[in-house]
Amino acid sequence: QVQLVESGGGLVQAGGSLRLSCAASGRALSSYVMGWFRQTPGNEREFVAVIGWRGRNTLYADSVKGRVTISRDNAKNTVYLQMNNLKPEDTAVYYCAAGGSGTEPSEYPYWGQGTQVTVSS
């Protein structure tokens, strides 16, 4: 089993950047496909990005494509989400997840506690 802890969220103005980190413990992160998801109050958790276990394959939601980059450092057991040109609609709690293979939250058995990202206009 793997434990995940996100960090790096905060308050940023529109057009700004943030880098989220997801640190894993309990098991090597290199064993897992990793995903980032986000959720706003009253809405379902939605897919943001996913990265293969070697880091070679990535997939992004259309809403963030071109502004967000997912990466991983298996030696540091950490996955990152670099977010640029942030928009108010990116405001959400961001979660990292492990063990899935695609874009559906239900595919992922392991989740972090989330980190709040707030983008002001």
Side-chain angles (χ1 to χ4, degrees):
Q1 190 163 345
V2 63
Q3 292 79 43
L4 305 173
V5 178
E6 302 96 334
S7 62
L11 174 64
V12 64
Q13 289 188 333
S17 298
L18 283 174
R19 187 176 82 155
L20 307 184
S21 299
C22 174
S25 61
R27 192 169 177 179
L29 204 60
S30 57
S31 303
Y32 299 101
V33 171
M34 298 296 298
W36 282 97
F37 295 79
R38 66 187 183 186
Q39 190 171 23
T40 54
N43 293 305
E44 294 185 355
R45 202 162 291 188
E46 66 173 6
F47 167 74
V48 176
V50 62
I51 187 167
W53 62 276
R54 289 184 178 180
R56 295 176 184 175
N57 298 314
T58 58
L59 182 68
Y60 298 94
D62 288 343
S63 59
V64 302
K65 199 173 294 183
R67 301 187 296 118
V68 165
T69 303
I70 187 171
S71 62
R72 65 192 300 161
D73 186 338
N74 288 338
K76 294 183 178 180
N77 243 20
T78 302
V79 175
Y80 304 98
L81 190 71
Q82 176 68 44
M83 302 189 294
N84 300 322
N85 190 23
L86 283 161
K87 304 176 181 181
E89 51 263 42
D90 294 317
T91 295
V93 177
Y94 283 72
Y95 298 89
C96 69
S101 62
T103 63
E104 291 296 326
S106 59
E107 298 177 24
Y108 292 78
Y110 306 115
W111 291 86
Q113 84 290 348
T115 185
Q116 176 71 47
V117 171
T118 303
V119 184
S120 63
S121 57

